[in-house]
């Protein structure tokens, strides 16, 4: 539900996505990742890491400073209902 709201997908769009993942063999009937789904997710993560590598190298040690500045903002957005979360 978090990811569906985060992406602003309707219930029908979300269900269609789940159905596609099942038909690709990435999810089982309970919605859990299959071995193939885990492998697919791992490839996506590797691609993301590779894509971001040059940016991370360019930022160098400043990455920690950026995280330090952005983290409280990110937590505030989450606590206040942003990014698919509802305020508590």
């Amino acid at each position: 539900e978090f990811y569906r709201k985060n992406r602003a997908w309707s219930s029908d769009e979300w269900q269609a996505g789940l159905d596609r993942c099942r038909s690709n063999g990435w999810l089982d009937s309970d919605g859990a990742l299959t071995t193939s789904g885990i492998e697919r997710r791992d490839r996506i993560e590797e691609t993301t890491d590779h894509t971001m590598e040059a940016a991370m190298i360019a930022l160098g040690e400043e990455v920690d400073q950026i995280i330090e500045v952005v983290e409280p903002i990110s937590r505030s957005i989450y606590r206040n209902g942003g990014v698919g979360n509802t305020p508590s």
Side-chain angles (χ1 to χ4, degrees), residues 2-40:
F2 170 83
Y3 292 110
R4 184 185 72 77
K5 286 181 179 179
N6 185 328
R7 288 156 177 77
W9 288 3
S10 70
S11 294
D12 289 342
E13 290 170 321
W14 185 254
Q15 189 58 52
L18 291 175
D19 292 344
R20 281 191 305 276
C21 287
R22 284 188 186 98
S23 70
N24 286 329
W26 299 334
L27 294 177
D28 65 19
S29 60
D30 294 324
L33 284 172
T34 62
T35 301
S36 177
I38 292 168
E39 290 169 356
R40 177 68 176 155

Side-chain angles (χ1 to χ4, degrees), residues 47-71:
T47 300
T48 301
D49 290 348
H50 178 73
T51 302
M52 291 303 301
E53 187 175 13
M56 298 303 285
I57 290 170
L59 290 170
E61 293 178 17
E62 293 177 16
V63 167
D64 291 335
Q65 293 171 345
I66 293 168
I67 292 170
E68 188 176 321
V69 169
V70 172
E71 188 172 32

